């Protein structure tokens, strides 16, 4: 557990809770134009519900963490980019995604996320 800033994320039914530690690396938009925040993989910790959490591959090959009970997808993760994508945006980082490397930005763009030039 981090001693720094953290947030909590839960699925709709409350069976799975994740802790998000530290600060996001940037914000962006998904393929549908919805806001997302981008985090390093090490920033995510399981708070509760390990038995209710399942990991499935989505159509893009990203690992989606979802609740077995309600089916809500809590996050998407990509090992190649070393990133986790959460729905919504983080207020402490501007939409340009300045903390992302060029390689991470390219990888996320290839997956359908807009993270640069005003997202």
């Amino acid at each position: 557990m981090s001693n720094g800033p953290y947030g909590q994320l839960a699925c709709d039914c409350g069976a799975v809770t994740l802790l998000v530690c530290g600060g996001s690396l940037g914000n962006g938009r998904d393929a549908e134009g919805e806001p997302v925040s981008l985090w390093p993989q090490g920033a995510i910790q399981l708070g509760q519900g390990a038995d209710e959490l399942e990991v499935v591959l989505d159509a893009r090959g990203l690992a989606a963490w979802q609740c077995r009970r309600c089916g809500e997808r809590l996050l998407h993760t990509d090992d190649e980019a070393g990133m986790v994508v959460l729905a919504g945006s983080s207020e402490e980082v501007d939409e340009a995604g300045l903390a992302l490397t060029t390689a991470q930005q390219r990888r996320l763009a290839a997956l359908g996320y807009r993270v640069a030039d005003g997202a």
Side-chain angles (χ1 to χ4, degrees), residues 29-33 60 106-115:
R29 302 266 173 197
D30 66 14
E32 291 78 35
R60 298 169 295 179
R106 273 192 238 124
R107 173 66 179 162
L108 292 167
L111 294 169
Y113 295 103
R114 291 177 287 144
V115 296

Side-chain angles (χ1 to χ4, degrees), residues 76-106:
H76 290 88
T77 184
D78 182 60
D79 288 337
E80 185 176 324
M83 301 289 300
V84 172
V85 180
L86 298 173
S89 64
S90 173
E91 295 82 27
E92 70 247 15
V93 180
D94 68 29
E95 295 250 343
L98 297 176
L100 298 171
T101 68
T102 302
Q104 287 172 322
Q105 288 185 32
R106 273 192 238 124

Side-chain angles (χ1 to χ4, degrees), residues 30 36-39 41 44 56-66 73-79 83-87 108 113:
D30 66 14
V36 297
S37 59
L38 308 161
W39 297 78
Q41 286 178 327
I44 308 300
V56 297
L57 289 181
D58 71 7
R60 298 169 295 179
L62 294 176
W65 292 19
Q66 69 183 31
R73 291 197 172 169
L74 298 165
L75 62 81
H76 290 88
T77 184
D78 182 60
D79 288 337
M83 301 289 300
V84 172
V85 180
L86 298 173
L108 292 167
Y113 295 103

